[in-house]
Coordinates of all heavy atoms in Angstrom, one line a residue:
C424 N 5.3 69.4 121.1 CA 4.6 68.2 120.6 C 5.4 67.0 120.5 O 4.8 65.9 120.3 CB 4.0 68.6 119.2 SG 5.3 69.1 118.0
T425 N 6.7 67.0 120.5 CA 7.5 65.8 120.4 C 8.3 65.5 121.7 O 9.1 64.6 121.8 CB 8.5 65.9 119.3 OG1 9.4 67.0 119.5 CG2 7.8 66.1 118.0
A426 N 8.0 66.2 122.8 CA 8.7 66.0 124.0 C 8.5 64.6 124.6 O 9.4 64.1 125.2 CB 8.2 67.0 125.1
N427 N 7.4 64.0 124.3 CA 7.1 62.7 124.9 C 7.3 61.6 123.9 O 6.9 60.4 124.1 CB 5.7 62.6 125.4 CG 5.5 63.6 126.6 OD1 6.3 63.8 127.4 ND2 4.3 64.3 126.6
S428 N 7.8 61.9 122.7 CA 7.9 60.9 121.6 C 9.3 60.2 121.7 O 9.5 59.2 120.9 CB 7.8 61.6 120.3 OG 8.8 62.5 120.0
S429 N 10.2 60.6 122.5 CA 11.5 60.0 122.6 C 11.4 58.6 123.3 O 10.6 58.5 124.2 CB 12.5 60.9 123.3 OG 12.6 62.1 122.7
P430 N 12.1 57.6 122.8 CA 12.0 56.3 123.4 C 12.6 56.4 124.9 O 13.5 57.1 125.2 CB 12.9 55.4 122.5 CG 13.8 56.4 121.8 CD 13.0 57.6 121.7
S431 N 12.0 55.5 125.7 CA 12.4 55.5 127.1 C 13.8 54.9 127.3 O 14.5 55.2 128.3 CB 11.4 54.8 128.0 OG 11.2 53.5 127.5
E432 N 14.1 54.0 126.4 CA 15.4 53.3 126.5 C 16.4 54.0 125.6 O 16.1 54.5 124.5 CB 15.3 51.9 126.2 CG 14.4 51.1 127.2 CD 14.4 49.6 126.8 OE1 15.0 49.2 125.9 OE2 13.7 48.9 127.6
S433 N 17.7 54.0 126.0 CA 18.7 54.5 125.1 C 18.9 53.7 123.8 O 18.8 52.5 123.9 CB 20.1 54.6 125.8 OG 20.0 55.3 127.0
P434 N 19.0 54.4 122.7 CA 19.2 53.6 121.4 C 20.5 52.9 121.4 O 21.4 53.2 122.1 CB 19.2 54.8 120.4 CG 19.7 56.0 121.1 CD 19.1 55.8 122.5
P435 N 20.6 51.8 120.6 CA 21.8 51.0 120.6 C 23.0 51.8 120.0 O 22.8 52.8 119.2 CB 21.5 49.8 119.6 CG 20.3 50.4 118.8 CD 19.5 51.3 119.7
L436 N 24.2 51.5 120.4 CA 25.4 52.2 119.9 C 25.4 52.1 118.4 O 25.2 51.0 117.8 CB 26.6 51.5 120.5 CG 27.9 52.3 120.3 CD1 27.8 53.6 121.1 CD2 29.1 51.5 120.8
S437 N 25.7 53.2 117.7 CA 25.8 53.3 116.3 C 27.1 54.0 115.8 O 27.8 54.5 116.6 CB 24.6 54.1 115.7 OG 24.7 55.4 116.2
V438 N 27.3 53.9 114.5 CA 28.5 54.6 113.9 C 28.4 56.1 114.2 O 29.4 56.8 114.4 CB 28.5 54.3 112.4 CG1 29.7 55.1 111.8 CG2 28.7 52.9 112.1
E439 N 27.2 56.6 114.2 CA 27.0 58.1 114.5 C 27.5 58.4 115.9 O 28.2 59.4 116.0 CB 25.5 58.4 114.4 CG 25.2 59.9 114.7 CD 23.8 60.3 114.5 OE1 23.0 59.4 113.9 OE2 23.4 61.3 115.0
H440 N 27.2 57.6 116.9 CA 27.7 57.8 118.2 C 29.2 57.8 118.3 O 29.8 58.7 118.9 CB 27.2 56.7 119.2 CG 25.7 56.8 119.4 ND1 24.9 55.7 119.3 CD2 24.8 57.8 119.6 CE1 23.6 56.0 119.5 NE2 23.6 57.3 119.7
V441 N 29.8 56.9 117.6 CA 31.3 56.8 117.5 C 31.9 58.0 116.9 O 32.9 58.6 117.4 CB 31.8 55.5 116.8 CG1 33.3 55.5 116.7 CG2 31.3 54.3 117.5
I442 N 31.3 58.5 115.8 CA 31.8 59.7 115.1 C 31.7 60.9 116.0 O 32.6 61.7 116.1 CB 31.1 59.9 113.8 CG1 31.5 58.8 112.8 CG2 31.4 61.3 113.2 CD1 30.7 58.8 111.5
D443 N 30.5 61.0 116.6 CA 30.3 62.2 117.5 C 31.2 62.2 118.7 O 31.6 63.3 119.2 CB 28.8 62.3 117.9 CG 27.9 62.8 116.8 OD1 28.4 63.4 115.9 OD2 26.7 62.6 116.9
A444 N 31.5 61.0 119.2 CA 32.4 61.0 120.4 C 33.8 61.4 120.0 O 34.5 62.2 120.7 CB 32.4 59.6 121.0
F445 N 34.4 60.8 118.9 CA 35.7 61.1 118.5 C 35.9 62.5 118.0 O 36.9 63.2 118.1 CB 36.2 60.1 117.5 CG 36.8 58.9 118.1 CD1 36.0 57.8 118.4 CD2 38.2 58.8 118.5 CE1 36.5 56.6 119.0 CE2 38.7 57.6 119.1 CZ 37.9 56.5 119.3
C446 N 34.8 63.0 117.3 CA 34.9 64.3 116.6 C 34.2 65.5 117.3 O 33.9 66.5 116.7 CB 34.2 64.1 115.2 SG 35.1 63.0 114.2
H447 N 33.9 65.3 118.6 CA 33.4 66.4 119.4 C 34.4 67.5 119.3 O 35.6 67.3 119.4 CB 33.2 65.9 120.9 CG 32.5 67.0 121.7 ND1 33.1 68.1 122.2 CD2 31.2 67.0 122.2 CE1 32.2 68.8 122.9 NE2 31.1 68.2 122.9
P448 N 33.9 68.8 119.2 CA 34.8 69.9 119.0 C 35.9 70.0 120.1 O 37.0 70.3 119.8 CB 33.9 71.1 119.1 CG 32.6 70.6 118.6 CD 32.5 69.2 119.0
D449 N 35.5 69.7 121.4 CA 36.5 69.7 122.4 C 37.6 68.7 122.2 O 38.8 68.9 122.5 CB 35.9 69.5 123.8 CG 35.0 70.7 124.1 OD1 35.1 71.8 123.5 OD2 34.1 70.5 125.0
I450 N 37.2 67.5 121.8 CA 38.1 66.4 121.6 C 39.1 66.7 120.4 O 40.3 66.5 120.5 CB 37.4 65.0 121.3 CG1 36.5 64.7 122.5 CG2 38.4 63.9 121.1 CD1 37.2 64.6 123.9
I451 N 38.5 67.1 119.3 CA 39.3 67.4 118.1 C 40.3 68.5 118.4 O 41.4 68.5 117.9 CB 38.4 67.8 116.9 CG1 37.7 66.5 116.4 CG2 39.1 68.5 115.8 CD1 38.6 65.5 115.8
A452 N 39.9 69.5 119.2 CA 40.8 70.6 119.6 C 42.0 70.1 120.3 O 43.1 70.5 120.1 CB 40.1 71.7 120.4
K453 N 41.7 69.1 121.2 CA 42.8 68.5 122.0 C 43.7 67.6 121.1 O 44.9 67.6 121.3 CB 42.2 67.7 123.1 CG 43.3 67.1 124.1 CD 44.1 68.2 124.8 CE 45.1 67.6 125.7 NZ 45.9 68.7 126.4
V454 N 43.1 66.9 120.2 CA 43.9 66.1 119.3 C 44.8 66.9 118.4 O 46.0 66.6 118.2 CB 42.9 65.2 118.4 CG1 43.8 64.5 117.3 CG2 42.2 64.2 119.2
A455 N 44.2 68.1 117.9 CA 45.0 69.0 117.1 C 46.2 69.5 117.9 O 47.3 69.6 117.4 CB 44.2 70.1 116.6
E456 N 45.9 69.9 119.1 CA 47.0 70.4 120.0 C 48.1 69.4 120.2 O 49.3 69.7 120.2 CB 46.4 70.9 121.3 CG 47.4 71.5 122.3 CD 46.7 71.9 123.6 OE1 45.5 72.0 123.6 OE2 47.4 72.2 124.6

Side-chain angles (χ1 to χ4, degrees):
C424 58
T425 60
N427 298 320
S428 63
S429 301
S431 57
E432 296 182 1
S433 299
L436 192 67
S437 66
V438 176
E439 179 179 347
H440 293 133
V441 175
I442 291 175
D443 282 345
F445 275 90
C446 297
H447 188 284
D449 293 343
I450 302 299
I451 286 296
K453 184 62 178 177
V454 173
E456 182 179 345

